[in-house]
Amino acid sequence: MKNIENRVAETILQRPKTVVVGGVSYEVAPPSTATIIRISEMLPTDFDIDMQPKHMLKETLRIAKRCRFLGDIAACLILGFDEVKEIKIVKEKRFFGLVTYERKIVIDKKAELAEKCISMGPAWLDNLYADLLDMEIGSFFGLTTFLIGVNLLKPTKTGKVVKTTASGQ
């Protein structure tokens, strides 16, 4: 277990972390702003979850079938914002080996990694999210709230700053 000083130093220095998924090691850099935005876009907005402890098991099982996006988010954190595709050329023979032709196959590396991440288990995913998003989310939240605050206090056409009020007041 790392202490807070080590975690802060790693975050400030942006040292890559090593993540092992299905026996393959990946060097993972801290998530960029684009990666955090892409992850935010992946999150569903239509989940209606009953958070009472007595319903937790039932609710978890009810929504589990819709949680494939958890693997997509993990793959996005590991591989980054950009799409990662590999083109393979496969030679195939037809007509008893008399005719040979080449076919291009596009392999989505991010989709493959997402499937591997889902198979790793919920505790592993939870630790991965906590480890990779550790300090970046706090910085991103601070930046966005600062910019929203600046936008709320910008002068109107008359040059006066108008205090905003909550809806219904």
Side-chain angles (χ1 to χ4, degrees):
M1 193 77 171
K2 297 177 183 175
N3 62 20
I4 191 70
E5 290 85 9
N6 289 342
R7 290 169 54 194
V8 169
E10 285 179 358
T11 301
I12 291 171
L13 297 174
Q14 295 195 341
R15 291 184 184 147
K17 297 178 182 181
T18 303
V19 175
V20 179
V21 184
V24 180
S25 295
Y26 296 91
E27 287 290 318
V28 181
S32 66
T33 303
T35 302
I36 293 172
I37 291 169
R38 172 73 51 96
I39 289 169
S40 177
E41 291 171 348
M42 292 177 180
L43 294 171
T45 58
D46 61 342
F47 273 179
D48 183 27
I49 302 172
D50 183 4
M51 297 297 285
Q52 296 178 9
K54 65 181 181 177
H55 299 285
M56 200 61 67
L57 177 62
K58 181 178 85 170
E59 288 296 310
T60 301
L61 294 175
R62 183 179 66 85
I63 65 165
K65 63 186 172 191
R66 297 181 53 207
C67 290
R68 189 162 297 279
F69 69 90
L70 294 174
D72 296 334
I73 290 172
C76 188
L77 279 171
I78 293 169
L79 296 178
F81 172 76
D82 298 326
E83 296 297 320
V84 182
K85 305 213 185 253
E86 179 182 315
I87 298 175
K88 266 189 171 178
I89 298 176
V90 178
K91 292 184 180 183
E92 294 184 352
K93 293 184 179 189
R94 297 277 173 122
F95 301 110
F96 307 106
L98 298 174
V99 179
T100 303
Y101 68 96
E102 293 181 351
R103 184 169 55 112
K104 290 182 181 178
I105 300 174
V106 178
I107 300 169
D108 186 358
K109 291 297 200 180
K110 207 172 265 188
E112 282 183 352
L113 183 59
E115 287 297 319
K116 287 180 184 177
C117 288
I118 284 182
S119 69
M120 297 299 288
W124 183 86
L125 278 175
D126 185 38
N127 289 334
L128 176 76
Y129 295 147
D131 194 31
L132 295 181
L133 289 173
D134 198 18
M135 300 285 281
E136 296 296 324
I137 291 296
S139 299
F140 185 78
F141 180 74
L143 174 65
T144 54
T145 53
F146 167 75
L147 292 174
I148 289 169
V150 167
N151 192 31
L152 288 175
L153 297 176
K154 70 179 180 182
T156 61
K157 288 182 183 177
T158 61
K160 296 180 181 178
V161 175
V162 177
K163 183 179 176 187
T164 59
T165 58
S167 144
Q169 291 185 359

